[in-house]
Amino acid sequence: MSMLVVGSVAFDTLKTPYGVREKILGGSATYFSLAASLFTKVRVVAVVGDDFLPEHENVLKSRGVDTRGLERAGGKTFHWGGEYGDNLNEARTKFTDLNVFESFQPKIPAVYSDTQYLFLANIQPELQLQVRERMNEVKLTGGDTMNLWINHKRDELIRTLAKVDILLINDAEARMLTGDSSLPRAARKVMEFGPRSLVIKHGEYGATIFFRDGSQPFRAPALPLDEVQDPTGAGDSFAGGFMGYIAGEDRMDPRVLRRAMFYGGVMGSFAVERFGTERLQTLTRAEIDERFKVFRSITHLD
Amino acid sequence: MSMLVVGSVAFDTLKTPYGVREKILGGSATYFSLAASLFTKVRVVAVVGDDFLPEHENVLKSRGVDTRGLERAGGKTFHWGGEYGDNLNEARTKFTDLNVFESFQPKIPAVYSDTQYLFLANIQPELQLQVRERMNEVKLTGGDTMNLWINHKRDELIRTLAKVDILLINDAEARMLTGDSSLPRAARKVMEFGPRSLVIKHGEYGATIFFRDGSQPFRAPALPLDEVQDPTGAGDSFAGGFMGYIAGEDRMDPRVLRRAMFYGGVMGSFAVERFGTERLQTLTRAEIDERFKVFRSITHLD
């Protein structure tokens, strides 16, 4: 089924222990779209500037992503600069040039109105809520957020969470949002704001999905990787694999959710193997299924 | 089969967000023995002082632990004082009164000489090596260590590792021992020192076992627990469950090792539910098997 992602399409300038890259394609909606496109039909709503060239858009289009929702504004594309040290779990932001993203007002093309699955990538919570209210017919809404909104737009974020079915955040965000250092307790508090499931991502340790109805959580591993060349986009790729698989199956029972957690981990593991979206661009479904088997074998008793 | 643990039997004075306890039974060999005793016959070698009363020894004896290797020295028992804040992953040491433990020279009773499985809990690496050399007939040796020895007795530790089959350490120790921030790479470097398997414990995220022969690692979860009353002894209880299960099965094939990882996690999860050894003292094999099923269901796709 069709999946719409609203978020950022951006350029990243990156430095990691494995090298540097200048102004390469990035952004939450980009990583999400590329990862989800391996599982389902993806539509994107985002804003880019004059410096966003056909070659950049073609990265999305060549994976079948519907880019009719990609708005072109006068000015420059959102550009983030970051650096990772030996601890690849933590990015140091060097600069954040919001550019055209600063005044982003998501416009949903009429042709997108039959979308059934929605993902609100990490943008201002008010904008997430606006999109959510305009897409009132969707079957399922997933969402992401970040420390900036938790700290500075808390009320708006909590209003948005009331309309999100599955939230995907990391350990630090779960603790920050609830003030609780215990992840299972923090999870329960987050779900009291609205979401019926919460995925907490633990970086190299995998991710856990919690359920508001009290059913057992489920833990998916991450792959122990020798070389993480660039962690940028790991979380968005996880979300793309997770939501994309659910939309592809068009069901949300425990069987599908468990596999979605694994596919999320699989997509995250591919994303970080190369800089930027490089690895996701060439990825095949056969490679994904191969790695899914590895995820199974490193966690299953038999 | 019989399992011998050499380590500390001690008193702990603890403060956690859930309360305080003074001079309760603790020590690496104590937690290890109690956990392993649910799976196999356990023998212990350690030193205690005059203040170690029959009631303390009875905690071990009542679980069938052979305490003939418990040496009584004149003086006081090793006493550790520690405190945990909201972040239960990190203990702040308040005091370390080594007392009789300072001049500990492990003496292996002659009746222990037919022991088949050996665990060198966290003591000075030279002492670990001495014990290992005296127990040259064992089938399998497991070991633990800590930051103190990694930093101050590195050469001695590396000599000891050459004689250890399976080392169990945590993330920080693996990184400290190798200077490598990537766990899979650090694991390979540790195994170059000797161990053919390495278990890296990730605290609340579970644990991973790596193999020197290059076969796929295996990840066991930890249980997402609402209340961790006292994390003391979690690692030693993990080791007790892990090694105890292997000794009980008397085999070390992949099937057994995977289950051993789960049983390690299970025993760690019980240990932290109550202060000190309280929970381990009353634990039944039925409760363990029940929780094993939970561990399976939170990780297995079907």
Side-chain angles (χ1 to χ4, degrees), chain A residues 12-68:
Chain A
D12 290 338
T13 289
L14 304 165
K15 186 175 175 186
T16 86
Y18 290 89
V20 296
R21 292 294 187 280
E22 295 229 359
K23 267 193 106 173
I24 57 172
L25 182 64
S28 59
T30 305
Y31 281 102
F32 182 95
S33 299
L34 291 175
S37 71
L38 273 302
F39 301 94
T40 196
K41 181 91 193 115
V42 183
R43 295 158 166 179
V44 62
V45 163
V47 64
V48 293
D50 310 321
D51 52 353
F52 195 81
L53 305 176
E55 70 194 64
H56 300 121
E57 187 166 346
N58 279 338
V59 170
L60 295 168
K61 280 171 136 173
S62 71
R63 305 308 296 228
V65 176
D66 183 338
T67 56
R68 285 176 291 178

Side-chain angles (χ1 to χ4, degrees), chain A residues 18 86 171 175 181 184-185 188 204-205 216-219 222 226 258-259 297-302, chain B residues 18 86 171 175 181 184-185 188 204-205 216-219 222 226 258-259 297-302:
Chain A
Y18 290 89
D86 264 352
D171 292 355
R175 293 187 166 118
S181 62
R185 281 203 310 259
R188 262 209 313 281
E204 65 176 312
Y205 303 118
Q216 207 118 77
F218 182 73
R219 292 207 147 172
D226 266 31
R258 288 172 171 231
R259 281 166 174 75
S297 86
I298 66 173
T299 51
H300 282 49
L301 291 167
D302 299 296
Chain B
Y18 289 89
D86 264 353
D171 292 356
R175 292 187 167 118
S181 62
R185 278 201 312 256
R188 260 210 314 279
E204 66 176 311
Y205 303 118
Q216 207 118 76
F218 182 73
R219 292 206 146 172
D226 266 32
R258 289 171 172 231
R259 281 166 174 75
S297 86
I298 67 172
T299 52
H300 282 49
L301 291 167
D302 298 297

Side-chain angles (χ1 to χ4, degrees), chain A residues 216, chain B residues 262 266 288-298:
Chain A
Q216 207 118 77
Chain B
F262 268 52
V266 164
I288 290 170
D289 291 336
E290 197 53 47
R291 185 157 296 181
F292 185 93
K293 282 187 206 148
V294 174
F295 270 65
R296 180 194 279 267
S297 86
I298 67 172

Side-chain angles (χ1 to χ4, degrees), chain B residues 3-9 28-34 41-47 57 60-61 64-71 104 107-109 112 115 119:
Chain B
M3 155 78 72
L4 168 62
V5 56
V6 182
S8 62
V9 170
S28 58
T30 305
Y31 281 102
F32 182 94
S33 299
L34 291 175
K41 182 90 193 113
V42 182
R43 297 159 166 179
V44 63
V45 164
V47 64
E57 188 166 346
L60 294 168
K61 280 171 135 172
V65 176
D66 183 337
T67 57
R68 286 177 290 178
L70 207 57
E71 178 192 349
F104 179 41
K107 294 169 195 65
I108 319 284
Y112 285 6
T115 299
F119 188 70

Side-chain angles (χ1 to χ4, degrees), chain A residues 3 7 10 48 80 113 129 134 167 174 177 186 201 251 288:
Chain A
M3 155 78 71
V48 293
W80 178 77
S113 58
L129 187 56
R134 257 175 281 159
L167 183 69
L177 183 53
K201 294 168 287 177
R251 273 182 309 138
I288 291 171

Side-chain angles (χ1 to χ4, degrees), chain B:
Chain B
M1 305 307 287
S2 60
M3 155 78 72
L4 168 62
V5 56
V6 182
S8 62
V9 170
F11 291 126
D12 291 337
T13 289
L14 304 166
K15 186 174 175 187
T16 86
Y18 289 89
V20 295
R21 293 292 188 281
E22 295 228 1
K23 266 193 107 174
I24 57 172
L25 182 63
S28 58
T30 305
Y31 281 102
F32 182 94
S33 299
L34 291 175
S37 71
L38 273 302
F39 301 93
T40 197
K41 182 90 193 113
V42 182
R43 297 159 166 179
V44 63
V45 164
V47 64
V48 295
D50 310 322
D51 51 352
F52 195 81
L53 304 175
E55 71 196 63
H56 300 122
E57 188 166 346
N58 279 337
V59 170
L60 294 168
K61 280 171 135 172
S62 71
R63 304 307 299 229
V65 176
D66 183 337
T67 57
R68 286 177 290 178
L70 207 57
E71 178 192 349
R72 285 170 184 281
K76 285 190 163 181
T77 302
F78 177 18
H79 186 187
W80 178 76
E83 193 177 321
Y84 301 86
D86 264 353
N87 175 4
L88 289 161
N89 296 313
E90 235 174 300
R92 283 186 298 276
T93 291
K94 292 294 185 187
F95 58 86
T96 305
D97 296 341
L98 290 174
N99 301 328
V100 297
F101 194 60
E102 191 156 15
S103 48
F104 179 41
Q105 289 293 334
K107 294 169 195 65
I108 319 284
V111 288
Y112 285 6
S113 59
D114 62 347
T115 299
Q116 300 199 275
Y117 290 84
L118 173 65
F119 188 70
L120 304 167
N122 173 30
I123 55 173
Q124 281 195 52
E126 300 98 310
L127 298 183
Q128 291 181 315
L129 187 57
Q130 280 173 28
V131 171
R132 175 65 183 81
E133 286 173 343
R134 255 175 285 160
M135 302 296 291
N136 231 341
E137 304 296 304
V138 295
K139 275 190 185 177
L140 182 78
T141 303
D144 187 11
T145 192
M146 72 184 293
N147 51 5
L148 183 68
W149 315 128
I150 295 171
N151 286 327
H152 299 291
K153 298 263 186 183
R154 188 181 167 81
D155 294 346
E156 295 84 344
L157 176 59
I158 285 172
R159 274 196 293 278
T160 303
L161 291 185
K163 299 287 190 177
V164 167
D165 301 303
I166 308 187
L167 183 71
L168 293 94
I169 53 180
N170 66 29
D171 292 356
E173 290 158 354
R175 292 187 167 118
M176 196 180 292
L177 183 52
T178 60
D180 201 319
S181 62
S182 150
L183 291 181
R185 278 201 312 256
R188 260 210 314 279
K189 290 180 185 175
V190 171
M191 292 185 290
E192 282 168 14
F193 296 134
R196 59 179 193 262
S197 313
L198 173 70
V199 176
I200 302 186
K201 295 169 286 177
H202 317 306
E204 66 176 311
Y205 303 118
T208 308
I209 185 167
F210 295 91
F211 301 101
R212 199 175 54 193
D213 69 7
S215 48
Q216 207 118 76
F218 182 73
R219 292 206 146 172
L223 199 64
L225 284 171
D226 266 32
E227 274 197 16
V228 171
Q229 291 210 348
D230 171 17
T232 313
D236 299 310
S237 304
F238 182 102
F242 176 82
M243 292 290 298
Y245 179 75
I246 294 171
E249 295 292 306
D250 194 26
R251 270 182 311 137
M252 221 189 80
D253 59 32
R255 189 178 180 283
V256 167
L257 281 174
R258 289 171 172 231
R259 281 166 174 75
M261 289 290 289
F262 268 52
Y263 281 113
V266 164
M267 298 312 286
S269 77
F270 279 119
V272 303
E273 281 184 356
R274 300 272 181 283
F275 273 85
T277 59
E278 216 178 285
R279 188 67 185 88
L280 296 183
Q281 289 183 39
T282 62
L283 199 57
T284 65
R285 184 62 197 250
E287 287 174 316
I288 290 170
D289 291 336
E290 197 53 47
R291 185 157 296 181
F292 185 93
K293 282 187 206 148
V294 174
F295 270 65
R296 180 194 279 267
S297 86
I298 67 172
T299 52
H300 282 49
L301 291 167
D302 298 297

Side-chain angles (χ1 to χ4, degrees), chain A residues 18 88 224-230 269 272-274, chain B residues 182 184-185:
Chain A
Y18 290 89
L88 289 161
L225 283 172
D226 266 31
E227 275 196 16
V228 172
Q229 291 212 346
D230 171 17
S269 76
V272 303
E273 282 185 354
R274 299 272 181 284
Chain B
S182 150
R185 278 201 312 256

